[in-house]
Amino acid sequence: MSAAAPVVTGVGVVAPTGLGVEEHWAATLRGTSRIGRIGRFDASPYPVRLAGEVGDFTAKGNVPGRLIPQTDHWTHMALVATDMALADAGVNPADLPEYEMGVVTASSSGGVEFGQREIQQLWDKGPRHVGAYQSIAWFYAATTGQISIRHGMRGPCGVVVAEQAGALESLAQARRVLEDGARLVVSGGTDAPFSPYGLTCQIANGRLSSRTDPRRAYLPFDADANGYVPGEGGAIIIVEDARAARARGAAKTYGVIAGHAATFDPAPGSERPPALRRAIENALADAGLEPRDIDVVFADAAGVPDLDRAEAEAIAAVFGERAVPVTAPKTMTGRLYAGGPALDIVTALLAIRDSIIPATIGVGDPVPGYAIDLVTDEPRVVEVRTAMVLARGYGGFNAALVLRASP
């Protein structure tokens, strides 16, 4: 690790598996599924009725009262996760130079619940009844802006919109911001895609499972795979320059962001292959590692047979057939869009911390032809020093991120 390598010093989790990192980790190791019927609205008229929701979350009492009516549920969760992450890192933003702290988050859906409410007001009552905050609360950068304002972080700020791949890209951008001289970046992402309008937009991609049995709805790499279940929530991650973290006396680091790469798939119908394999290879090269150095791969796990096959083939081609453990604990939460890879990063860092790989629950009939060593049923106790997290976004995005244990 170079003296200035980016390190993760704090994490905050607001996810179906729990509020806070240890609650999430305990539920993940227990294999507790949090997929159930959509509760934020009546989804009975829709072909998709299951989701992974953050059941115990309330904005009141956790988010400043003036911000609640100005922002969407997705931003509420990110604000709470940011407070958790800063506390976990032992950071008081007021103690650091304001222009040396940045915010780079990811979003896929934006503020769909807020936006639907205001559009209904427009339709039912007219333009005078549309709130002024409609102009900003739905926007993908709203969470970045609110975190920046609340904590006085005036350094480089931005948002990445790359569907499921977005959170990996936000960590990559955080690394670039640190290389340019910042000392701390708030990164990661959340999503809250549940409103009638938001769900309708998701259904249009043709990849969601329409099953009503939570145990059979989301089965990536399984012979009975039939699509994925959507989810909400995610994680916020504090990334610091290693020298700056030492200088302020950071109590711990979860790990090092060692490598990253992103690629884009060719257009449908092209004779060129998908580009995920190239992302994996480039991320390894960026980290200065060989395939044998990776101890676990956290898969994108689309749950769509063609996409599962393409991912399994890419993993086997790079690492060898059944040569590296592969896991997808998101079968407990559903795919959280921009929040999903952020949660995977936290889970991977905990796997490194505790040397245990969480299981892919529910998958009882892995497709033999995929030739991957899928961790199912029970967590696997094995030394974990490096992890790779994969993510793909609708439309062709691919990303791979390599994490290493702190020295």
Side-chain angles (χ1 to χ4, degrees):
M1 176 177 82
S2 69
V7 294
V8 174
T9 56
V11 296
V13 172
V14 176
T17 36
L19 304 180
V21 63
E22 298 303 339
E23 184 176 326
H24 158 69
W25 186 227
T28 300
L29 292 181
R30 286 196 306 268
T32 304
S33 176
R34 296 296 168 83
I35 291 174
R37 292 185 65 85
I38 294 173
R40 292 193 69 79
F41 64 96
D42 179 13
S44 58
Y46 297 83
V48 174
R49 301 176 187 177
L50 298 179
E53 293 181 312
V54 184
D56 297 329
F57 179 84
T58 57
K60 186 175 182 181
N62 294 304
V63 176
R66 64 180 178 81
L67 288 181
I68 293 176
Q70 300 176 14
T71 49
D72 184 78
H73 179 55
W74 138 74
T75 298
H76 299 162
M77 291 190 290
L79 288 170
V80 171
T82 300
D83 288 346
M84 291 178 181
L86 289 170
D88 187 40
V91 169
N92 179 3
D95 294 338
L96 299 177
E98 58 187 0
Y99 289 101
E100 294 183 16
M101 296 181 290
V103 184
V104 182
T105 67
S107 174
S108 175
S109 302
V112 293
E113 187 177 61
F114 192 106
Q116 173 154 356
R117 184 172 64 245
E118 297 303 308
I119 290 171
Q120 286 178 309
Q121 289 284 87
L122 173 66
W123 182 264
D124 292 341
K125 299 179 180 179
R128 293 182 179 273
H129 295 271
V130 177
Y133 295 108
Q134 163 66 2
S135 61
I136 57 173
W138 72 270
F139 186 50
Y140 301 110
T143 289
T144 289
Q146 293 294 348
I147 293 171
S148 171
I149 293 167
R150 186 178 183 197
H151 296 290
M153 297 175 172
R154 298 174 181 268
C157 294
V159 62
V160 180
V161 183
E163 213 242 18
Q164 183 86 7
L168 298 192
E169 294 300 298
S170 76
L171 269 288
Q173 179 63 13
R175 186 171 68 157
R176 298 184 194 104
V177 169
L178 294 174
E179 290 171 351
D180 287 341
R183 64 171 64 192
L184 178 149
V185 182
V186 176
S187 193
T190 59
D191 253 317
F194 298 128
S195 70
Y197 157 63
L199 183 61
T200 300
C201 292
Q202 296 168 69
I203 291 170
N205 71 21
R207 296 179 176 178
L208 273 65
S209 172
S210 60
R211 290 181 178 166
T212 56
D213 182 352
R215 297 169 298 179
R216 305 301 302 165
Y218 180 31
L219 302 171
F221 305 112
D222 193 280
D224 200 27
N226 70 109
Y228 68 84
V229 172
E232 67 176 3
I236 294 294
I237 299 161
I238 306 301
V239 187
E240 295 189 65
D241 174 272
R243 292 172 299 193
R246 285 195 297 270
R248 72 168 181 84
K252 64 178 181 299
T253 58
Y254 285 93
V256 178
I257 300 173
H260 164 268
T263 58
F264 202 79
D265 285 336
S270 169
E271 294 182 358
R272 291 180 293 151
L276 178 62
R277 175 178 176 176
R278 185 155 45 87
I280 295 171
E281 293 170 337
N282 290 351
L284 287 170
D286 187 42
L289 298 175
E290 298 294 330
R292 64 177 179 272
D293 297 321
I294 298 299
D295 297 315
V296 61
V297 173
F298 281 73
D300 175 68
V304 177
D306 288 347
L307 295 175
D308 286 349
R309 182 182 304 107
E311 183 174 23
E313 289 175 350
I315 293 170
V318 175
F319 296 99
E321 293 189 3
R322 298 180 177 84
V324 62
V326 176
T327 189
K330 58 173 65 74
T331 53
M332 304 176 212
T333 64
R335 287 170 65 85
L336 311 187
Y337 298 103
L343 190 63
D344 275 347
I345 289 167
V346 171
T347 307
L349 290 169
L350 295 171
I352 291 172
R353 184 191 72 179
D354 295 346
S355 281
I356 186 168
I357 300 172
T360 308
I361 70 162
V363 176
D365 187 16
V367 177
Y370 288 170
I372 57 173
D373 177 18
L374 190 66
V375 179
T376 59
D377 298 327
E378 298 290 338
R380 184 179 300 180
V381 178
V382 61
E383 184 178 22
V384 181
R385 300 292 294 170
T386 60
M388 176 174 282
V389 180
L390 303 180
R392 293 172 294 180
Y394 182 76
F397 300 99
N398 302 288
L401 190 79
V402 178
L403 302 166
R404 293 177 60 183
S406 298

